[in-house]
Amino acid sequence: MQLLVPTVVAISFYLRRDRYAAAVGIWWVGESMADVAPYADDARAGELPLLGGVTGSEVEDYHDWEVMLGKLGLLSLDHSIGSFFFVTGGIIMTSAIVWGIMISFRHTQAVSD
């Protein structure tokens, strides 16, 4: 849901032709990806505190990323997946900011013409 909701918001605004709001939604997707990265990276170690106040190593099958990656047979790639989310999130956030600036600049020029 952390990635789905901002994606739906971005698509919704894009389809309504509100490009600036879509850029904000896309930035939100990137921020959510960067936010997920440490938890994906922690899947095997289970050291980060989770929402229930415990760590993934304290309660069996409690760490979402451990469970998901384990069922997919990708648990050994937790560090790579965490890095992917972090780097990709940064690229998406940067791209969204650049796109938003371009939209604002074009709008400013169109208004002044």
Side-chain angles (χ1 to χ4, degrees):
M1 291 305 287
Q2 187 169 354
L3 298 175
L4 182 62
V5 170
T7 300
V8 168
V9 166
I11 291 169
S12 174
F13 280 120
Y14 186 82
L15 293 175
R16 291 179 177 203
R17 300 184 191 273
D18 187 342
R19 303 301 189 237
Y20 189 81
V24 172
I26 291 169
W27 180 89
W28 186 15
V29 171
E31 190 278 330
S32 291
M33 289 183 79
D35 188 48
V36 159
Y39 293 97
D41 185 68
D42 183 59
R44 277 182 291 172
E47 295 173 350
L48 290 176
L50 303 173
L51 286 178
V54 297
T55 65
S57 60
E58 293 173 331
V59 180
E60 189 174 335
D61 292 335
Y62 191 76
H63 195 302
D64 292 347
W65 283 94
E66 177 187 16
V67 173
M68 285 187 294
L69 296 179
K71 287 185 178 182
L72 293 171
L74 301 173
L75 192 55
S76 64
L77 298 175
D78 61 345
H79 298 307
S80 297
I81 291 169
S83 294
F84 168 79
F85 274 111
F86 186 75
V87 170
T88 303
I91 290 168
I92 290 171
M93 286 189 292
T94 303
S95 300
I97 289 169
V98 169
W99 189 38
I101 290 169
M102 290 171 51
I103 291 165
S104 295
F105 183 72
R106 287 181 190 150
H107 178 74
T108 303
Q109 280 196 331
V111 169
S112 61
D113 285 343

